[in-house]
């Protein structure tokens, strides 16, 4: 085989030892291109590259018109793989795609899915780096976000989702703030942290932390960190003064998450995760929640944060293989919260203003040779771990009033009261 590279002189000098190595299992061909394609001969370089790869034998006139019928048939039978969904950046790629538009006789095929599958199985060293990345994300959550969120609630701080997300991003960029000792250039955010509350929820990974104020009701937080370029991601829901319907829906979500996790086994199709989720909701007499599921329940991750060809959708036929790493993201959105559902909640609680709500749990997981996938982001998610009581319910408040407890009603909310 051949490995053909079109690049600048500086990079060619760096790759030259590979070209000259005797033990190299394939031929390395280096084609120099001046910076920015200043000589205007990119088309010539691309034809040479295709010749070296055996994809096209360009004649003197550049259109292959001297070829016999048999040679033309052979050329047509050969296809070049392209990442068709990738947008070209830089002068080289833009010139390359312009060349392809002109050379329409060259047969191409989209190899995005196949390449994604080949790169989705992680080797031992890669899994180890993703484990470390997951530990980093977990520690940022535990020692960065959660204490800051609790301080904000406890002190009644007026802060926007965007400002809180900026604080969390600062922790990832400088982990010494949470007393982690790793090289600063080893850690960076996968994306700007996503903090949501107050009834405006978007479960997509492309959603943004807006400049509206954090409400002490149902808070969703999604944080992703890279460790030495490898990604991990985690999402958690935090319930403040939750009505029983909200807590029950969250418990349903946790069971749903667990069943989806157990369905992620080597040899099974990716679509089985979504099928498992739908079946569980129907079997548990909550078919009303099926329509509240997102369009996918996660995606493969690694060096790229999100592989668009390996989504956990209802139709993806790709197969789980040992060593694949996914973000399993299970959520329910636009769940109705009627007035009768909030009847036992204190009028002081922000949750009484919600007409709908969302809950979300996401973890980074690795598929094993046997059994359920292994969770790498191990931050607590039981309802007792993520629920806070800062206002007494109506009946408790009445009892305090009857006993002359005026001070109790005016007391500062205690965010440490977890149930």
């Amino acid at each position: 085989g051949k490995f053909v590279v079109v690049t600048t002189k500086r990079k060619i000098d760096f790759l030259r030892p590979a070209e000259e190595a005797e033990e190299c299992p394939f031929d390395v061909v280096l084609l120099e291109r001046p910076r920015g394609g200043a000589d205007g001969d990119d088309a010539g370089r691309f034809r040479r590259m295709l010749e070296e790869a055996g994809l096209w034998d360009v004649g003197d006139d550049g259109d292959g018109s001297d070829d016999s019928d048999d040679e033309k048939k052979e050329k047509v039978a050969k296809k070049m793989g392209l990442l068709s969904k990738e947008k070209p950046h830089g002068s080289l790629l833009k010139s390359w795609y312009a060349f392809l538009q002109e050379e329409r006789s060259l047969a191409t095929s989209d190899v995005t899915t196949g390449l994604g599958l080949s790169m989705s199985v992680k080797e031992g060293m890669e899994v180890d780096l993703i484990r470390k990345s997951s530990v980093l994300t977990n520690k940022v959550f535990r020692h960065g976000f959660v204490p800051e969120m609790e301080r904000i609630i406890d002190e009644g701080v007026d802060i926007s989702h965007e400002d809180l997300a900026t604080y969390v991003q600062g922790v990832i960029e400088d982990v010494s703030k949470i007393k982690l000792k790793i090289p600063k250039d080893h850690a960076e955010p996968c994306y700007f942290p996503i903090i949501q509350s107050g009834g405006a929820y978007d479960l997509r990974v492309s959603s943004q932390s807006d400049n509206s104020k954090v409400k002490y009701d149902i808070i969703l937080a999604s944080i992703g960190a890279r460790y030495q370029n490898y990604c991990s991601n985690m999402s958690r829901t935090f319930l403040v003064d939750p009505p029983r319907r909200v807590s029950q829906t969250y418990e349903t979500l946790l069971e749903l998450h667990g069943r989806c996790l157990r369905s992620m086994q080597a040899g099974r199709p990716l679509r089985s995760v979504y099928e498992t989720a739908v079946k569980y909701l129907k079997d548990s007499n909550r078919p009303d929640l099926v329509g509240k599921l997102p369009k996918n329940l996660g995606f493969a991750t690694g060096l790229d944060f999100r592989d668009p060809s390996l989504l956990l959708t209802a139709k993806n036929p790709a197969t789980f293989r040992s060593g694949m790493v996914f973000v399993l993201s299970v959520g329910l959105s636009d769940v109705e919260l009627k007035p009768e559902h909030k009847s036992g909640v204190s009028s002081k609680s922000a949750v009484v203003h919600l007409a709908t709500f969302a809950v979300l749990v996401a973890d980074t997981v690795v598929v094993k040779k046997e059994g359920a996938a292994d969770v790498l982001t191990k931050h607590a998610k039981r309802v007792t771990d993520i629920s806070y009581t800062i206002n007494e319910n109506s009946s408790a408040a009445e009892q305090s009033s009857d006993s002359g407890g005026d001070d109790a009603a005016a007391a500062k909310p205690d965010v440490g009261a977890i149930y």
Side-chain angles (χ1 to χ4, degrees):
K2 287 188 178 181
F3 181 68
V4 187
V5 182
V6 178
T7 189
T8 58
K9 183 180 184 303
R10 182 179 178 182
K11 293 175 182 175
I12 281 181
D13 290 341
F14 178 79
L15 293 170
R16 191 71 69 187
E19 182 186 41
E20 298 170 352
E22 294 182 0
E23 66 275 12
C24 187
F26 46 78
D27 295 333
V28 177
V29 180
L30 305 175
L31 304 179
E32 184 177 337
R33 178 182 187 260
R35 186 173 296 277
D39 63 355
D41 192 31
D42 278 344
R45 274 183 286 273
F46 296 148
R47 291 191 184 100
R48 168 77 188 286
M49 178 179 69
L50 294 173
E51 283 184 276
E52 292 287 354
L55 289 167
W56 198 255
D57 182 15
V58 181
D60 292 338
D61 58 2
D63 62 3
S65 59
D66 295 335
D67 298 325
S68 67
D69 289 342
D70 289 341
E71 289 172 328
K72 289 178 181 178
K73 288 179 181 178
E74 182 181 355
K75 291 171 187 177
V76 172
K78 294 180 179 179
K79 288 187 177 182
M80 179 175 63
L82 292 177
L83 302 176
S84 61
K85 295 182 180 179
E86 292 289 322
K87 295 181 179 179
H89 297 283
S91 63
L92 177 59
L93 283 181
K94 289 178 180 178
S95 181
W96 167 243
Y97 279 97
F99 171 80
L100 291 179
Q101 288 294 319
E102 295 178 3
E103 292 288 341
R104 295 183 181 278
S105 57
L106 182 64
T108 62
S109 178
D110 183 14
V111 296
T112 303
T113 300
L115 188 61
L117 280 170
S118 66
M119 296 180 66
S120 65
V121 176
K122 306 298 187 289
E123 298 178 354
M125 180 190 70
E126 292 179 291
V127 173
D128 184 54
L129 287 173
I130 294 175
R131 287 184 186 276
K132 292 178 179 179
S133 175
S134 299
V135 171
L136 172 60
T137 295
N138 182 48
K139 287 187 177 293
V140 170
F141 236 108
R142 179 175 297 176
H143 303 296
F145 172 74
V146 171
E148 183 66 5
M149 178 193 69
E150 292 179 346
R151 183 189 71 82
I152 288 168
I153 297 175
D154 193 34
E155 298 178 7
V157 177
D158 195 24
I159 188 173
S160 70
H161 299 107
E162 184 177 9
D163 287 344
L164 180 52
T166 299
Y167 169 82
V168 176
Q169 177 159 286
V171 173
I172 300 174
E173 293 173 342
D174 183 7
V175 294
S176 65
K177 293 178 179 178
I178 53 173
K179 299 181 181 180
L180 280 184
K181 296 181 179 180
I182 61 174
K184 191 172 182 179
D185 59 352
H186 281 191
E188 60 180 321
C190 291
Y191 56 86
F192 188 64
I194 306 168
I195 314 297
Q196 303 174 82
S197 67
Y201 303 106
D202 183 349
L203 304 188
R204 295 175 298 177
V205 293
S206 59
S207 60
Q208 300 290 319
S209 296
D210 61 27
N211 60 5
S212 64
K213 302 301 181 183
V214 175
K215 302 296 183 183
Y216 311 152
D217 45 32
I218 298 171
I219 302 172
L220 307 188
S222 297
I223 299 171
R226 291 179 185 270
Y227 180 81
Q228 289 189 272
N229 298 319
Y230 281 87
C231 298
S232 62
N233 186 67
M234 181 165 58
S235 300
R236 290 293 184 267
T237 299
F238 298 91
L239 310 179
V240 184
D241 295 336
R244 183 170 178 78
R245 176 174 172 81
V246 173
S247 297
Q248 288 177 334
T249 302
Y250 181 78
E251 293 277 19
T252 298
L253 179 78
L254 279 189
E255 180 62 27
L256 184 62
H257 180 278
R259 288 176 181 251
C260 288
L261 181 68
R262 292 191 289 274
S263 73
M264 299 176 70
Q265 299 187 27
R268 300 189 65 177
L270 268 60
R271 65 172 178 266
S272 64
V273 176
Y274 210 98
E275 292 170 352
T276 296
V278 172
K279 184 178 186 301
Y280 168 70
L281 291 176
K282 290 181 177 179
D283 290 348
S284 58
N285 295 319
R286 291 305 306 270
D288 57 302
L289 294 178
V290 173
K292 309 301 182 182
L293 291 168
K295 292 182 179 179
N296 70 75
L297 298 179
F299 47 87
T301 192
L303 286 171
D304 289 330
F305 174 64
R306 178 179 181 270
D307 187 335
S309 66
L310 291 174
L311 302 179
L312 301 180
T313 66
K315 297 181 179 180
N316 197 331
T319 303
F320 285 114
R321 292 189 281 178
S322 176
M324 284 182 166
V325 178
F326 285 84
V327 172
L328 173 62
S329 181
V330 183
L332 300 166
S333 61
D334 295 319
V335 183
E336 192 173 16
L337 194 59
K338 298 178 180 179
E340 55 265 33
H341 297 144
K342 299 174 278 188
S343 59
V345 178
S346 169
S347 59
K348 296 179 181 179
S349 298
V351 74
V352 300
H353 302 294
L354 296 181
T356 61
F357 68 95
V359 286
L360 174 67
V361 171
D363 283 300
T364 303
V365 306
V366 59
V367 179
K368 301 189 298 184
K369 290 183 179 179
E370 296 181 356
D374 185 23
V375 176
L376 305 181
T377 44
K378 300 183 182 296
H379 189 75
K381 50 182 174 278
R382 294 176 303 176
V383 69
T384 52
D385 297 315
I386 53 84
S387 296
Y388 299 84
T389 300
I390 65 173
N391 291 290
E392 296 178 274
N393 62 33
S394 300
S395 58
E398 289 173 4
Q399 291 174 7
S400 296
S401 178
D402 292 340
S403 62
D406 293 337
D407 291 341
K412 181 180 178 182
D414 181 10
V415 76
I418 301 176
Y419 69 87

PDB file of all heavy atoms in Angstrom, residues 318-334:
ATOM      1  N   ALA A 318     -25.651  -0.336  13.397  1.00  0.00           N
ATOM      2  CA  ALA A 318     -24.264  -0.652  13.764  1.00  0.00           C
ATOM      3  C   ALA A 318     -24.249  -1.496  15.038  1.00  0.00           C
ATOM      4  O   ALA A 318     -25.186  -1.467  15.841  1.00  0.00           O
ATOM      5  CB  ALA A 318     -23.468   0.632  13.963  1.00  0.00           C
ATOM      6  N   THR A 319     -23.165  -2.242  15.203  1.00  0.00           N
ATOM      7  CA  THR A 319     -23.080  -3.198  16.307  1.00  0.00           C
ATOM      8  C   THR A 319     -22.100  -2.738  17.380  1.00  0.00           C
ATOM      9  O   THR A 319     -21.017  -2.240  17.061  1.00  0.00           O
ATOM     10  CB  THR A 319     -22.636  -4.576  15.772  1.00  0.00           C
ATOM     11  OG1 THR A 319     -23.554  -5.013  14.768  1.00  0.00           O
ATOM     12  CG2 THR A 319     -22.592  -5.604  16.891  1.00  0.00           C
ATOM     13  N   PHE A 320     -22.489  -2.921  18.643  1.00  0.00           N
ATOM     14  CA  PHE A 320     -21.573  -2.650  19.749  1.00  0.00           C
ATOM     15  C   PHE A 320     -20.405  -3.625  19.693  1.00  0.00           C
ATOM     16  O   PHE A 320     -20.592  -4.822  19.459  1.00  0.00           O
ATOM     17  CB  PHE A 320     -22.279  -2.822  21.099  1.00  0.00           C
ATOM     18  CG  PHE A 320     -23.210  -1.697  21.464  1.00  0.00           C
ATOM     19  CD1 PHE A 320     -24.573  -1.918  21.564  1.00  0.00           C
ATOM     20  CD2 PHE A 320     -22.717  -0.423  21.713  1.00  0.00           C
ATOM     21  CE1 PHE A 320     -25.433  -0.892  21.922  1.00  0.00           C
ATOM     22  CE2 PHE A 320     -23.572   0.611  22.059  1.00  0.00           C
ATOM     23  CZ  PHE A 320     -24.930   0.385  22.156  1.00  0.00           C
ATOM     24  N   ARG A 321     -19.202  -3.084  19.926  1.00  0.00           N
ATOM     25  CA  ARG A 321     -18.016  -3.925  19.994  1.00  0.00           C
ATOM     26  C   ARG A 321     -17.233  -3.579  21.252  1.00  0.00           C
ATOM     27  O   ARG A 321     -17.218  -2.430  21.697  1.00  0.00           O
ATOM     28  CB  ARG A 321     -17.141  -3.740  18.750  1.00  0.00           C
ATOM     29  CG  ARG A 321     -17.786  -4.285  17.478  1.00  0.00           C
ATOM     30  CD  ARG A 321     -16.818  -4.280  16.322  1.00  0.00           C
ATOM     31  NE  ARG A 321     -16.684  -2.946  15.737  1.00  0.00           N
ATOM     32  CZ  ARG A 321     -15.864  -2.651  14.733  1.00  0.00           C
ATOM     33  NH1 ARG A 321     -15.088  -3.591  14.222  1.00  0.00           N
ATOM     34  NH2 ARG A 321     -15.815  -1.435  14.247  1.00  0.00           N
ATOM     35  N   SER A 322     -16.571  -4.567  21.805  1.00  0.00           N
ATOM     36  CA  SER A 322     -15.786  -4.353  23.011  1.00  0.00           C
ATOM     37  C   SER A 322     -14.739  -3.269  22.771  1.00  0.00           C
ATOM     38  O   SER A 322     -14.040  -3.284  21.754  1.00  0.00           O
ATOM     39  CB  SER A 322     -15.101  -5.654  23.425  1.00  0.00           C
ATOM     40  OG  SER A 322     -14.268  -5.445  24.542  1.00  0.00           O
ATOM     41  N   GLY A 323     -14.646  -2.331  23.699  1.00  0.00           N
ATOM     42  CA  GLY A 323     -13.687  -1.242  23.566  1.00  0.00           C
ATOM     43  C   GLY A 323     -14.285   0.050  23.054  1.00  0.00           C
ATOM     44  O   GLY A 323     -13.642   1.097  23.092  1.00  0.00           O
ATOM     45  N   MET A 324     -15.535  -0.001  22.574  1.00  0.00           N
ATOM     46  CA  MET A 324     -16.209   1.238  22.161  1.00  0.00           C
ATOM     47  C   MET A 324     -16.544   2.071  23.397  1.00  0.00           C
ATOM     48  O   MET A 324     -16.892   1.528  24.448  1.00  0.00           O
ATOM     49  CB  MET A 324     -17.497   0.924  21.404  1.00  0.00           C
ATOM     50  CG  MET A 324     -17.319   0.448  19.979  1.00  0.00           C
ATOM     51  SD  MET A 324     -18.953   0.190  19.206  1.00  0.00           S
ATOM     52  CE  MET A 324     -18.498   0.075  17.475  1.00  0.00           C
ATOM     53  N   VAL A 325     -16.441   3.383  23.261  1.00  0.00           N
ATOM     54  CA  VAL A 325     -16.768   4.286  24.361  1.00  0.00           C
ATOM     55  C   VAL A 325     -17.912   5.201  23.917  1.00  0.00           C
ATOM     56  O   VAL A 325     -17.864   5.782  22.829  1.00  0.00           O
ATOM     57  CB  VAL A 325     -15.554   5.122  24.786  1.00  0.00           C
ATOM     58  CG1 VAL A 325     -15.933   6.096  25.903  1.00  0.00           C
ATOM     59  CG2 VAL A 325     -14.419   4.218  25.240  1.00  0.00           C
ATOM     60  N   PHE A 326     -18.930   5.291  24.765  1.00  0.00           N
ATOM     61  CA  PHE A 326     -20.111   6.087  24.444  1.00  0.00           C
ATOM     62  C   PHE A 326     -20.433   7.049  25.583  1.00  0.00           C
ATOM     63  O   PHE A 326     -20.069   6.811  26.747  1.00  0.00           O
ATOM     64  CB  PHE A 326     -21.337   5.189  24.226  1.00  0.00           C
ATOM     65  CG  PHE A 326     -21.341   4.464  22.911  1.00  0.00           C
ATOM     66  CD1 PHE A 326     -20.648   3.267  22.771  1.00  0.00           C
ATOM     67  CD2 PHE A 326     -22.029   4.972  21.819  1.00  0.00           C
ATOM     68  CE1 PHE A 326     -20.645   2.590  21.561  1.00  0.00           C
ATOM     69  CE2 PHE A 326     -22.036   4.297  20.604  1.00  0.00           C
ATOM     70  CZ  PHE A 326     -21.345   3.113  20.474  1.00  0.00           C
ATOM     71  N   VAL A 327     -21.126   8.108  25.240  1.00  0.00           N
ATOM     72  CA  VAL A 327     -21.824   8.919  26.228  1.00  0.00           C
ATOM     73  C   VAL A 327     -23.278   8.458  26.194  1.00  0.00           C
ATOM     74  O   VAL A 327     -23.962   8.641  25.186  1.00  0.00           O
ATOM     75  CB  VAL A 327     -21.733  10.423  25.910  1.00  0.00           C
ATOM     76  CG1 VAL A 327     -22.630  11.225  26.855  1.00  0.00           C
ATOM     77  CG2 VAL A 327     -20.295  10.910  26.017  1.00  0.00           C
ATOM     78  N   LEU A 328     -23.710   7.787  27.260  1.00  0.00           N
ATOM     79  CA  LEU A 328     -25.102   7.362  27.382  1.00  0.00           C
ATOM     80  C   LEU A 328     -25.865   8.510  28.029  1.00  0.00           C
ATOM     81  O   LEU A 328     -25.642   8.825  29.204  1.00  0.00           O
ATOM     82  CB  LEU A 328     -25.209   6.098  28.225  1.00  0.00           C
ATOM     83  CG  LEU A 328     -26.633   5.636  28.562  1.00  0.00           C
ATOM     84  CD1 LEU A 328     -27.415   5.287  27.302  1.00  0.00           C
ATOM     85  CD2 LEU A 328     -26.597   4.441  29.530  1.00  0.00           C
ATOM     86  N   SER A 329     -26.743   9.141  27.276  1.00  0.00           N
ATOM     87  CA  SER A 329     -27.450  10.341  27.742  1.00  0.00           C
ATOM     88  C   SER A 329     -28.954  10.092  27.692  1.00  0.00           C
ATOM     89  O   SER A 329     -29.562  10.104  26.621  1.00  0.00           O
ATOM     90  CB  SER A 329     -27.078  11.545  26.873  1.00  0.00           C
ATOM     91  OG  SER A 329     -27.714  12.711  27.317  1.00  0.00           O
ATOM     92  N   VAL A 330     -29.536   9.850  28.857  1.00  0.00           N
ATOM     93  CA  VAL A 330     -30.956   9.516  28.944  1.00  0.00           C
ATOM     94  C   VAL A 330     -31.692  10.673  29.607  1.00  0.00           C
ATOM     95  O   VAL A 330     -31.358  11.086  30.721  1.00  0.00           O
ATOM     96  CB  VAL A 330     -31.161   8.225  29.762  1.00  0.00           C
ATOM     97  CG1 VAL A 330     -32.634   7.835  29.780  1.00  0.00           C
ATOM     98  CG2 VAL A 330     -30.319   7.088  29.177  1.00  0.00           C
ATOM     99  N   GLY A 331     -32.681  11.207  28.915  1.00  0.00           N
ATOM    100  CA  GLY A 331     -33.416  12.347  29.447  1.00  0.00           C
ATOM    101  C   GLY A 331     -34.885  12.319  29.070  1.00  0.00           C
ATOM    102  O   GLY A 331     -35.309  11.589  28.172  1.00  0.00           O
ATOM    103  N   LEU A 332     -35.651  13.119  29.776  1.00  0.00           N
ATOM    104  CA  LEU A 332     -37.072  13.313  29.500  1.00  0.00           C
ATOM    105  C   LEU A 332     -37.332  14.811  29.561  1.00  0.00           C
ATOM    106  O   LEU A 332     -36.929  15.472  30.526  1.00  0.00           O
ATOM    107  CB  LEU A 332     -37.940  12.584  30.540  1.00  0.00           C
ATOM    108  CG  LEU A 332     -37.766  11.062  30.638  1.00  0.00           C
ATOM    109  CD1 LEU A 332     -38.411  10.542  31.921  1.00  0.00           C
ATOM    110  CD2 LEU A 332     -38.367  10.363  29.415  1.00  0.00           C
ATOM    111  N   SER A 333     -37.985  15.350  28.574  1.00  0.00           N
ATOM    112  CA  SER A 333     -38.223  16.795  28.540  1.00  0.00           C
ATOM    113  C   SER A 333     -39.700  17.101  28.325  1.00  0.00           C
ATOM    114  O   SER A 333     -40.474  16.241  27.879  1.00  0.00           O
ATOM    115  CB  SER A 333     -37.396  17.446  27.425  1.00  0.00           C
ATOM    116  OG  SER A 333     -37.751  16.932  26.159  1.00  0.00           O
ATOM    117  N   ASP A 334     -40.077  18.334  28.662  1.00  0.00           N
ATOM    118  CA  ASP A 334     -41.458  18.806  28.505  1.00  0.00           C
ATOM    119  C   ASP A 334     -42.458  17.918  29.244  1.00  0.00           C
ATOM    120  O   ASP A 334     -43.567  17.668  28.762  1.00  0.00           O
ATOM    121  CB  ASP A 334     -41.839  18.897  27.020  1.00  0.00           C
ATOM    122  CG  ASP A 334     -41.031  19.949  26.289  1.00  0.00           C
ATOM    123  OD1 ASP A 334     -40.828  21.031  26.868  1.00  0.00           O
ATOM    124  OD2 ASP A 334     -40.607  19.688  25.146  1.00  0.00           O
TER     125      ASP A 334
END
